[in-house]
Amino acid sequence: MTVITRPEEFNVGDLYVAMEPMFGQSLYLKCEGFNFAGSVKLKAALEMVGAAERAGVLRPGTTIVESSSGNLGVALSIVAASYGYGFVCVTDSRCTLSAQRLMRAHGAEVRVVTEPHAERGLLGARLAYVEQLCRENEQYVWLDQYSNPANWIAHARTTGPEILKQFPELDVLFVGAGTTGTLMGCARHLREEKPSVRIVAIDAEGSVTFGFPPAPRFIPGLGTAVRPTLLDRSYVDEVVLVAEPDTVRTCRTMQRNGFLFGGSTGTVVAGALRWLAEHAPAGDLTAVAIAPDLGERYLDTIYDDEWVAEHFGAGAPAPTVAESATTRRQS
């Protein structure tokens, strides 16, 4: 029996799904969506709020402000409600309607940015708006997930050790790159405890995180229009870029097998399968990928035929993993 008194106390850390029956590749997917926030972002939210409290930055009467494309916003809305803080989430038009509704249901105020920054896109516009809000109200506290070390510390303390405990013979770990908090935390822990593990970052095509040219992106979660301050490329062995149509295809393949995962998870799995097909076709590596989220928040986007047709073309079959994921080795 598990009995809790606060929502953040529940978080399943040892659930994995074997991908081999669906895709024919030996890959274990660590499911991070089984908590009240529905994503891996609950860990970062808790660590950042806790660090801000210990530093005396967060105190009674202050309001948390954060930029988020969805998942961290939902996590912070839950943590803020549990801890008794106000919360303002600055998001953009790509944030799913369900994520916005969840945040508001938990008492958060949601501000939606619709006009992109001239050079830094929608993310740049969100960050500028957060800075403006904090200048105008001294009771607002910006946690800044993009540069806050508590973001990666959360995963160095939890996610990385959890994986190594279950897979002591781990050969390769696939981690999606958004703020790069999960990536950096897991990579730092593994570099110290088991340096032989290969760290492969999965990013969306059009993201500038690893120095590739920007392009329009429609699925929130992975990828950035502004390089995250947290990123230290020395911890990353390779980068795999995944096209968004392949994210949709992968998500729908998993859904046809009864597993409803989110867009970030679809991207990570697509990239991992591409890498494994090239580097371990015999399935002789112990490989784990992190699934950041579940799929309920994407019912009106990647699981909606009209939305997919509008953004990626009507009637065109989704490309295969091999056709649309590009592997780039770190120099």
Side-chain angles (χ1 to χ4, degrees), residues 30 32 40-41 43-44 145-146 148-161 163 170 172-192 194 197-204 207-212 221-224 227-241 264 268 288-292 328 330:
K30 187 181 194 301
E32 289 284 349
V40 71
K41 292 293 188 179
K43 292 176 174 177
Q145 63 166 326
Y146 309 97
N148 191 330
N151 188 347
W152 69 259
I153 289 171
H155 301 286
R157 290 179 55 249
T158 60
T159 315
I163 294 170
L170 182 67
V172 58
L173 178 65
F174 302 96
V175 191
T179 65
T180 69
T182 308
L183 173 64
M184 288 294 97
C186 291
R188 287 171 185 268
H189 176 77
L190 290 170
R191 180 67 59 87
E192 182 175 330
K194 191 175 176 62
V197 175
R198 198 154 192 82
I199 303 296
V200 180
I202 311 296
D203 202 5
S207 168
V208 306
T209 299
F210 293 95
F212 299 109
L222 301 187
T224 66
R227 186 181 186 275
T229 307
L230 293 178
L231 176 63
D232 183 341
R233 291 183 63 159
S234 69
Y235 287 94
V236 178
D237 295 302
E238 293 181 61
V239 178
V240 177
L241 300 181
S264 297
V268 171
V288 172
I290 297 176
R328 306 296 177 95
Q330 292 291 97

Side-chain angles (χ1 to χ4, degrees), residues 81-113:
S82 178
Y83 281 47
Y85 295 112
F87 175 49
V88 178
C89 180
V90 177
T91 188
D92 61 56
S93 51
R94 294 173 301 178
C95 180
T96 64
L97 185 59
S98 58
Q100 294 181 44
R101 287 174 170 170
L102 276 169
M103 286 186 273
R104 292 190 175 103
H106 286 292
E109 181 180 349
V110 180
R111 308 278 186 95
V112 181
V113 172

Side-chain angles (χ1 to χ4, degrees), residues 258-314:
F259 294 99
L260 193 71
F261 285 108
S264 297
T265 298
T267 301
V268 171
V269 172
L273 293 173
R274 173 68 177 89
W275 191 94
L276 289 169
E278 291 185 359
H279 297 84
D284 53 351
L285 294 180
T286 300
V288 172
I290 297 176
D293 55 359
L294 300 178
E296 291 90 341
R297 292 169 201 168
Y298 298 84
L299 295 178
D300 54 351
T301 55
I302 60 178
Y303 293 106
D304 182 88
D305 291 342
E306 292 184 4
W307 185 91
V308 172
E310 177 184 350
H311 290 83
F312 305 117

